[in-house]
Amino acid sequence: MSLSAHQSARMKNDEWLTPPEILRPLGRFDLDPCAPIEPPWATAATQFSILDDGLSKPWGGRVWLNPPFGREAVVWLRRLAAHGNGIALIPARTETAMFFEAVWGVADAVCFIKGRPHFHYVDGRRAPFNSGAPIALIAYGIDNEQILRESGLGHVVSAK
Ligand SMILES: C[S@@+](CC[C@H](N)C(=O)[O-])C[C@H]1O[C@@H](n2cnc3c(N)ncnc32)[C@H](O)[C@@H]1O
């Protein structure tokens, strides 16, 4: 197994938290629909956990979305695309069905993050290894595209 594949395998669960240095330049969010039950820090003014089931709730305002991994990620991204206001963090697998369904031609912009982030454990500790894969931020709404362009987090391209 390559180092990269090994690290990706180590990250295969849902509880990897977004590094604060990625969230900080993106500003304040109204809603994180998929947050831990006991988050070590706030990602948005309102946070839904698995106990609330964020998919079953109404979404309002500017949404931060780092969805559960795997096949169900597309369901969350589809929901954000329909909502139209927010930023998502997903692996930069630009050739996948998920990208073609909910990003290319649908979102406003994609930011390819510079470097591989170190995600955090659910208790807030930073993982000693990186994501093992490239990561992208997806903007829905032109205000969110502008914020990505000003964030300094990576290279931004239009998705339309
Ligand atoms: C990749 S983590 C991201 C956590 C946080 N949003 C962040 O950006 O740091 C995905 C989170 O979704 C939560 N989750 C999984 N299924 C969920 C559901 N149906 N409703 C709400 N949250 C859920 C997991 O418990 C986990 O905390």
Side-chain angles (χ1 to χ4, degrees):
M1 195 185 277
S2 70
L3 179 61
S4 161
H6 178 61
Q7 287 175 335
S8 293
R10 284 164 80 175
M11 297 203 63
K12 273 193 181 122
N13 74 55
D14 279 346
E15 296 298 341
W16 290 104
L17 308 190
T18 307
E21 64 268 23
I22 290 182
L23 281 165
R24 213 173 292 122
L26 301 179
R28 292 174 62 82
F29 290 92
D30 299 304
L31 174 67
D32 180 344
C34 47
I37 294 168
E38 291 184 18
W41 49 70
T43 48
T46 299
Q47 296 171 280
F48 295 145
S49 78
I50 196 163
L51 300 179
D52 308 302
D53 184 13
L55 275 176
S56 71
K57 299 276 189 190
W59 290 15
R62 184 168 183 252
V63 171
W64 167 250
L65 179 70
N66 172 0
F69 291 175
R71 296 171 75 87
E72 80 176 292
V74 69
V75 179
W76 293 86
L77 205 59
R78 217 179 265 150
R79 177 79 181 267
L80 181 56
H83 178 65
N85 180 12
I87 296 177
L89 179 156
I90 57 175
R93 299 201 179 102
T94 56
E95 84 290 13
T96 55
M98 179 168 86
F99 245 86
F100 276 84
E101 179 185 334
V103 179
W104 298 133
V106 178
D108 287 277
V110 177
C111 174
F112 293 94
I113 290 186
K114 185 175 179 187
R116 290 183 176 180
H118 287 238
F119 287 86
H120 287 244
Y121 297 105
V122 74
D123 64 6
R125 281 177 304 125
R126 181 181 189 262
F129 48 86
N130 69 35
S131 57
I135 300 295
L137 297 170
I138 317 299
Y140 296 89
I142 52 170
D143 291 351
N144 290 307
E145 171 173 357
Q146 193 56 33
I147 286 166
L148 282 190
R149 290 193 184 280
E150 292 167 2
S151 71
L153 289 169
H155 186 78
V156 179
V157 298
S158 172
K160 298 276 190 193

